[in-house]
Amino acid sequence: MDSKKIRVNEPTILVLFGATGDLAQRKIFPSLLDLYNKDLLPKKFKIVAFGRRDWSETQYREFVSSALNQSKVVDESRKIAFLDLITYEKGLFDDDAAFSALGKRLSFIDTDFNICTNKLFYLAVPPNLYELILSKLSKSGLSIPCGGEKGWTRILIEKPFGKNLEDAERIDRLLGKQFKEIQIFRIDHYLAKETLLNILAFRFSNSIFEPLWNRKYIESISIKMFESSLVGSRGAFYDGIGALRDIGQNHLLAMLSLVTMEHPKVFNSDNIRKERQRVLKRLVIPGRNEIRKIIRGQYEGFKESQGVSADSDTETFFRLTTSIKGSRWSGVPIELTAGKGVGTTKTEITIEFKDVKTFFHDIKTNKNKLIFRVQPDEGISVMFWVKTPGFESFKVHSEKLSFNYSDSDITKIVPEAYERVLFDCIRGDQTLFATTGEVEAQWRFINPILKNWKTSEMKIYRSGTNPEEII
Ligand code: BG6
């Protein structure tokens, strides 16, 4: 379907908290510009950036402009028109007066548009600031919609959703006081990645794989997210968080849920979300013995990074194995590995099938594999066996069938995950956003690990190490 047909064209203001942060520069503004270029933003649209730096609007626009130049090739005239949508409101998150000035700014835009606009509050800030901003939104009355159906307010909230289960529950209670569930959009941009959404299409529309999608035929599942980049300027944020919270609790478990969820009875938003949630609730919570086996690592030099404490024991790498209760998956090991500062950058999901009882050689050690290449080199490969030509009748070797996004023109229409997040939030489609139940199940799984693994040894690895060798 033409995406312009599903665009919601109601006057909307996006209020961005965390306006000078890394996420705003790397993902949010480039994605908004892409939506703007594709004509997918409402015709009447404004971005109000709320930040503490003592900048004028012109200075802030210059800041956004240079962030856009760094992240992509941009058409200058389109960029200038886009920058015109942005205004800057200086203020501190704990300052009531700043929130009332923000309110005035929003009313001013409403008057200018001559309508009660939709307001989207985007919390692109570290989780320790959620409570403060939410309480100020409540106190200032900004979260209250100025209209009924039209003139809504919604909240977009980044991951990690809190620092642990208790935190997440508290934030959810606070959110629940001001917003109904249909107004709350909990972001995990991995749920919105095209290559991950394709897993559902691939699984549920191919009869050659779906019947095999269970413990009878699948030996193991492995989900890997490797990044060669270091923490860079995000040291202060990352040091208090670590790899398990930063991407384990959310991205890795989101990938797991897409690979292992049941086919929803009806393929709609509610049911897809329910099935993701249901499978996460069946994760086997690790006990002390399993936790002891989890590998945690830190790359050499992490402690010297800007913003990181000199005696930090925050992990930049982890490897753990889990499984899912129930008749489909019980006993199938699922390995989750992730790390920064390793020798490769790739996100990949591998499904390894059981070996067949056969007289052909070599199969026992190299089983059939199905690999979803999430990024880079996006695509899907199947590893299978063929006879090796020649006089030996029973000799086989492995070959690969591959689908590569880059081989066709479709790459041009693949939206960036954050484009999808912003577009879906504006049009009110919650399918690709985590439910409160999903977040709770994720924390129930992660919490005991966080509480108990500090006693286990931290493996220090050189940056650039082959991640498979961190064991
Ligand atoms: C973010 C994490 O959520 O995802 C980062 O905070 C990580 O640490 C990033 O680098 C990876 O996202 P992507 O889309 O670049 O794979």
Side-chain angles (χ1 to χ4, degrees):
M1 194 194 291
D2 177 2
S3 11
K4 277 185 204 156
K5 291 202 181 121
I6 49 177
R7 167 184 77 165
V8 169
N9 197 11
E10 293 162 9
T12 302
I13 308 175
L14 167 67
V15 181
L16 180 62
F17 297 100
T20 52
D22 173 76
L23 189 66
Q25 296 176 64
R26 278 190 312 113
K27 304 272 193 188
I28 301 173
F29 279 112
S31 298
L32 284 166
L33 175 61
D34 281 339
L35 288 173
Y36 178 71
N37 283 336
K38 292 176 189 164
D39 231 357
L40 292 177
L41 290 176
K43 286 209 169 62
K44 289 187 171 178
F45 186 74
K46 282 275 177 204
I47 302 162
V48 177
F50 186 92
R52 70 191 144 167
R53 292 197 204 171
D54 193 8
W55 278 348
S56 66
E57 191 158 278
T58 314
Q59 282 171 312
Y60 185 72
R61 286 182 182 178
E62 277 163 11
F63 165 82
V64 176
S65 169
S66 80
L68 290 172
N69 291 346
Q70 276 165 36
S71 75
K72 55 176 37 219
V73 180
V74 286
D75 171 327
E76 268 308 299
S77 64
R78 292 295 291 171
K79 188 180 79 180
I80 291 167
F82 170 75
L83 292 175
D84 235 27
L85 304 177
I86 305 172
T87 61
Y88 183 69
E89 186 64 47
K90 179 192 166 298
L92 296 174
F93 295 142
D94 60 358
D95 182 5
D96 289 333
F99 276 76
S100 89
L102 174 63
K104 283 194 189 120
R105 169 88 65 162
L106 299 181
S107 307
F108 179 77
I109 300 172
D110 278 10
T111 312
D112 190 36
F113 282 165
N114 196 22
I115 197 162
C116 144
T117 58
N118 299 330
K119 317 265 180 336
L120 188 59
F121 299 102
Y122 189 159
L123 270 51
V125 293
N128 59 336
L129 293 170
Y130 295 164
E131 291 189 64
L132 177 61
I133 298 175
L134 285 172
S135 69
K136 295 294 172 198
L137 281 178
S138 162
K139 195 164 172 198
S140 58
L142 289 178
S143 52
I144 302 166
C146 55
E149 280 277 296
K150 303 254 159 76
W152 46 250
T153 57
R154 289 184 186 144
I155 184 131
L156 260 173
I157 189 156
E158 266 298 335
K159 41 76 32 193
F161 196 76
K163 279 191 85 176
N164 51 39
L165 177 64
E166 297 74 25
D167 236 23
E169 286 174 340
R170 207 174 40 249
I171 296 168
D172 237 7
R173 276 196 297 277
L174 211 56
L175 273 172
K177 282 188 187 148
Q178 297 178 65
F179 298 98
K180 297 194 189 101
E181 192 55 30
I182 53 160
Q183 294 173 282
I184 305 171
F185 290 72
R186 299 175 191 82
I187 301 178
D188 178 339
H189 75 282
Y190 268 60
L191 287 174
K193 274 194 191 276
E194 186 69 25
T195 41
L196 288 169
L197 287 171
N198 189 30
I199 292 180
L200 294 190
F202 180 90
R203 282 186 55 196
F204 298 136
S205 51
N206 289 303
S207 62
I208 52 172
F209 290 105
E210 184 52 16
L212 309 183
W213 220 254
N214 56 56
R215 69 199 194 105
K216 189 164 171 215
Y217 297 102
I218 291 180
E219 172 99 1
S220 67
I221 298 175
S222 139
I223 303 177
K224 294 178 174 149
M225 182 173 165
F226 296 140
E227 297 173 284
S228 55
S229 55
L230 310 179
V231 289
S233 58
R234 296 172 75 219
F237 159 80
Y238 196 89
D239 193 19
I241 302 275
L244 192 62
R245 285 191 185 93
D246 183 39
I247 53 177
Q249 179 265 340
N250 36 75
H251 304 337
L252 276 274
L253 291 182
M255 291 193 261
L256 177 148
S257 68
L258 293 172
V259 173
T260 56
M261 67 183 247
E262 297 294 321
H263 190 298
K265 285 204 179 68
V266 181
F267 225 77
N268 62 20
S269 176
D270 268 4
N271 286 305
I272 294 172
R273 297 175 94 202
K274 266 187 205 142
E275 290 303 342
R276 287 198 316 247
Q277 177 176 315
R278 192 169 297 165
V279 78
L280 289 171
K281 287 196 169 162
R282 292 214 196 101
L283 275 171
V284 175
I285 309 283
R288 275 179 192 272
N289 272 343
E290 288 84 47
I291 294 173
R292 244 178 255 131
K293 292 183 201 147
I294 298 177
I295 308 286
R296 55 197 293 262
Q298 187 188 76
Y299 65 77
E300 247 170 42
F302 173 71
K303 291 181 192 153
E304 285 80 56
S305 319
Q306 185 198 339
V308 175
S309 101
D311 58 355
S312 167
D313 75 341
T314 298
E315 81 289 352
T316 56
F317 180 95
F318 68 85
R319 170 178 291 115
L320 63 90
T321 303
T322 181
S323 60
I324 294 170
K325 289 177 265 184
S327 55
R328 189 186 283 269
W329 294 118
S330 159
V332 178
I334 306 177
E335 191 184 73
L336 306 177
T337 321
K340 284 196 191 290
V342 292
T344 178
T345 294
K346 73 171 176 197
T347 301
E348 218 169 70
I349 302 172
T350 304
I351 315 292
E352 190 180 55
F353 292 87
K354 294 198 165 160
D355 53 4
V356 277
K357 305 275 171 278
T358 172
F359 43 85
F360 289 102
H361 327 293
D362 300 331
I363 297 185
K364 291 240 158 13
T365 43
N366 285 302
K367 299 167 185 167
N368 287 133
K369 280 185 190 145
L370 170 64
I371 302 171
F372 295 100
R373 300 190 312 274
V374 179
Q375 61 192 36
D377 185 25
E378 291 83 351
I380 301 174
S381 314
V382 182
M383 216 281 293
F384 61 102
W385 295 96
V386 294
K387 179 181 176 307
T388 305
F391 294 102
E392 280 190 74
S393 306
F394 304 124
K395 186 151 177 60
V396 287
H397 69 275
S398 65
E399 290 288 349
K400 214 160 65 172
L401 273 177
S402 248
F403 154 62
N404 306 317
Y405 280 75
S406 60
D407 287 348
S408 79
D409 270 358
I410 51 174
T411 12
K412 291 191 194 131
I413 51 172
V414 172
E416 219 281 324
Y418 270 89
E419 271 184 74
R420 189 68 205 264
V421 161
L422 290 155
F423 182 73
D424 281 1
C425 182
I426 292 170
R427 71 175 164 139
D429 182 341
Q430 290 183 306
T431 318
L432 311 183
F433 295 86
T435 62
T436 177
E438 271 174 286
V439 174
E440 188 199 321
Q442 291 168 335
W443 279 122
R444 280 200 190 284
F445 177 73
I446 298 293
N447 238 28
I449 306 176
L450 290 172
K451 283 190 180 149
N452 293 304
W453 77 343
K454 293 275 167 178
T455 48
S456 59
E457 180 205 356
M458 177 73 91
K459 311 233 177 225
I460 304 294
Y461 57 94
R462 261 178 307 105
S463 88
T465 301
N466 174 355
E468 308 295 350
E469 286 169 9
I470 308 174
I471 44 174

